[in-house]
Amino acid sequence: METPIRNDSGITIKKVYSAEDAVPSAPNPGTFPYTRGIQEDMYRGRHWTMRQYAGFSTAEESNKRYHFLLAQGVTGLSVAFDLPTQIGYDSDHALAEGEVGKVGVAIDSIEDMEILFDGIDLEKVSTSMTINSTAFILLALYAAVARKKGADIAKLTGTIQNDILKEYAARGTYIYPPAPSMRIITDLFEWCSINMPKWNTISISGYHIREAGSTAAQEVAFTLSNGKAYAKAAMDKGIDINTLGKRLSFFFNAHNNLFEEVAKFRAARKIWAETMQSLGATDPKAMMLRFHAQTGGSTLTQQQPLNNIARVTLQALSAVLGGTQSLHTNGYDEALSLPTEEAAQVALKTQQIIAFESGVAETADPLGGSYFVESLTSSMELAVNEIMAHIDEMGGSVRAIEEGFMQEQIAQSAYKFQREVEQQIKVVVGVNKFQGAEDPEPTLLKIDDSIRDLQTEKLKKLKSNRDEQKAQQCLNAIAQAAINGNNLMPPVLDAVENYCTLGEIAGKLRNVFGEYRQ
């Protein structure tokens, strides 16, 4: 008897599919529940936004990379921040040693942010910032720089990740306990709805959940459950679900199993549309799941890194066939270091070849109607809904995270996958099979530890030149707003404009909210 084949989400894959396996055809693209895409014509009208996630070393060096990418044809910027910036420490803090500028750009103050976007018209470029526990500070810095440039912040477009729940579940760059963290997020929702209405105030991320080892079904289920938690928290604050829904976006991973990934994206749109409808949304745009995709960092191999170009191409194709609104393609050398300029260029050209040479952008939902894809989409929907129902029974995402449910499920899936690689049940080309000769080691991008010295010197100059009394008044106003329950964004914006640093602001709130320890 033939051994059944199951994908990583546990869905059995049949030998052959026929019309009786496929659910009745979903409505056309652009119609509820948007399984086939959120626009009627999808990429015939406009290609997805081609972003390249970039940021390293100093603001000066990252600014050079942004200008290079814009010249190569990227249509949106995506900013990576270093670890100290992500967890609320200035570059001169003792805990920042060895990490400044390593996995992203170091941003300590408005001066760094001004340099980062020097020569870039913020009203004309869409910017995505991958930042969570300090997202409100980075958005304030971005708005402050835009105002200094004379831009109307109401016209700014882009996305701030601002998704703290997945940090507790999968990634770990949290600062404050869940309750005050959720309060900060909804403060940002409320402030942006008035001051930056075109800005996407959260990118609810499954990417890092998948990177930590989840299956595709778990990635969608945990992400959409987190989305429900944010929507309910915003509604509790009095924010209209239709207003909020139009500013929510999602961030998913794209892995190697082409058809599983396409089915995942299609199922996610349907489930989210039905979820928002159940929460009271009536505006069609508030029910549409808009998402950014990034190719899978955890799938890249140190061995034979040029193989990663093929992996990234497959993953990018799955995101496009699945209907993404924007896409980042990883550099082939990212299992070894931050991407070199050459690798970033190859990654971008991969998107451009898919867009302009493959033909997949010429029709909406090219795989719609495929017996296999329609059946797999339906099976993925069932698998995701089963997990989400269990989380609902537990009391929602916050409770599921507090009880360790998501973390345990991700860990089990990661362990299972690793065991199957070690036992050669799963083949990873160039790693556990088809090793052959190693590729010549590529030239790597190395970040010098002297970056910390440069940033420390900048901080000294900034603090010696600012109005110290005014800076301290601003920091005290932030603490008072935190205690009183007032929206934190106005005093934070005032503080960054008066040269308070990211670390000072985050530290002031550490004193009020405390730190979360698992």
Side-chain angles (χ1 to χ4, degrees), residues 255-274:
H255 269 222
N256 291 329
N257 190 320
L258 181 73
F259 295 106
E260 182 180 26
E261 294 301 293
V262 172
K264 176 188 81 176
F265 297 132
R266 297 171 96 247
R269 269 193 299 272
K270 182 174 187 289
I271 296 167
W272 184 247
E274 293 171 346

Side-chain angles (χ1 to χ4, degrees), residues 301-320:
T301 63
Q302 292 183 338
Q303 302 91 331
Q304 301 179 11
L306 290 178
N307 292 343
N308 293 328
I309 297 173
R311 292 186 177 101
V312 168
T313 303
L314 276 172
Q315 294 163 8
L317 186 59
S318 78
V320 172

Side-chain angles (χ1 to χ4, degrees), residues 188-249:
L188 190 149
F189 287 173
E190 184 179 54
W191 184 83
C192 282
S193 69
I194 298 166
N195 298 280
M196 294 176 65
K198 293 185 176 182
W199 192 269
N200 294 323
T201 50
I202 192 168
S203 177
I204 305 157
S205 176
Y207 185 85
H208 304 95
I209 290 169
R210 191 71 176 278
E211 288 291 283
S214 80
T215 66
Q218 289 170 338
E219 175 191 356
V220 173
F222 296 161
T223 305
L224 299 191
S225 291
N226 288 348
K228 283 177 68 175
Y230 291 126
K232 288 180 177 179
M235 290 167 69
D236 289 344
K237 203 176 180 76
I239 299 173
D240 178 68
I241 188 67
N242 286 312
T243 300
L244 174 74
K246 288 182 280 190
R247 297 272 62 90
L248 298 178
S249 67

Side-chain angles (χ1 to χ4, degrees), residues 75-376:
T75 51
L77 297 176
S78 185
V79 184
F81 298 96
D82 73 355
L83 191 58
T85 303
Q86 292 181 49
I87 56 176
Y89 293 118
D90 288 333
S91 298
D92 61 356
H93 194 282
L95 292 178
E97 186 172 356
E99 293 293 343
V100 177
K102 291 293 178 70
V103 299
V105 61
I107 299 294
D108 294 322
S109 72
I110 190 171
E111 290 184 348
D112 288 329
M113 206 68 158
E114 284 183 275
I115 295 166
L116 188 67
F117 291 103
D118 184 44
I120 297 170
D121 189 337
L122 299 185
E123 284 191 13
K124 293 182 179 178
V125 70
S126 169
T127 302
S128 173
M129 292 187 280
T130 303
I131 194 76
N132 297 283
S133 59
T134 55
F136 64 110
I137 305 173
L138 270 299
L139 186 64
L141 285 165
Y142 190 81
V145 167
R147 297 208 305 194
K148 285 190 78 171
K149 285 172 168 276
D152 180 356
I153 65 171
K155 295 180 180 178
L156 300 181
T157 60
T159 302
I160 192 93
Q161 191 163 101
N162 196 30
D163 174 10
I164 201 64
L165 292 179
K166 67 95 174 48
E167 296 297 327
Y168 300 118
R171 192 162 174 266
T173 66
Y174 45 76
I175 302 175
Y176 315 112
S181 291
M182 290 292 281
R183 176 262 177 98
I184 292 170
I185 286 169
T186 54
D187 279 359
L188 190 149
F189 287 173
E190 184 179 54
W191 184 83
C192 282
S193 69
I194 298 166
N195 298 280
M196 294 176 65
K198 293 185 176 182
W199 192 269
N200 294 323
T201 50
I202 192 168
S203 177
I204 305 157
S205 176
Y207 185 85
H208 304 95
I209 290 169
R210 191 71 176 278
E211 288 291 283
S214 80
T215 66
Q218 289 170 338
E219 175 191 356
V220 173
F222 296 161
T223 305
L224 299 191
S225 291
N226 288 348
K228 283 177 68 175
Y230 291 126
K232 288 180 177 179
M235 290 167 69
D236 289 344
K237 203 176 180 76
I239 299 173
D240 178 68
I241 188 67
N242 286 312
T243 300
L244 174 74
K246 288 182 280 190
R247 297 272 62 90
L248 298 178
S249 67
F250 290 82
F251 175 21
F252 289 119
N253 214 311
H255 269 222
N256 291 329
N257 190 320
L258 181 73
F259 295 106
E260 182 180 26
E261 294 301 293
V262 172
K264 176 188 81 176
F265 297 132
R266 297 171 96 247
R269 269 193 299 272
K270 182 174 187 289
I271 296 167
W272 184 247
E274 293 171 346
T275 297
M276 288 297 280
Q277 188 180 61
S278 73
L279 292 174
T282 55
D283 188 323
K285 290 187 177 180
M287 293 182 266
M288 294 178 181
L289 184 148
R290 293 166 292 277
F291 74 96
H292 169 72
Q294 180 175 337
T295 56
S298 63
T299 69
L300 302 178
T301 63
Q302 292 183 338
Q303 302 91 331
Q304 301 179 11
L306 290 178
N307 292 343
N308 293 328
I309 297 173
R311 292 186 177 101
V312 168
T313 303
L314 276 172
Q315 294 163 8
L317 186 59
S318 78
V320 172
L321 289 169
T324 191
Q325 277 60 69
S326 69
L327 177 61
H328 163 81
T329 34
N330 290 331
Y332 64 82
D333 56 1
E334 286 191 61
L336 298 161
S337 72
L338 291 172
T340 57
E341 204 166 87
E342 177 191 55
Q345 189 170 20
V346 170
L348 175 60
K349 297 301 180 190
T350 299
Q351 291 200 51
Q352 292 168 340
I353 290 168
I354 291 173
F356 295 101
E357 297 186 27
S358 73
V360 299
E362 293 171 3
T363 187
D365 192 22
L367 295 182
S370 157
Y371 300 149
F372 179 36
V373 171
E374 295 293 358
S375 176
L376 197 53

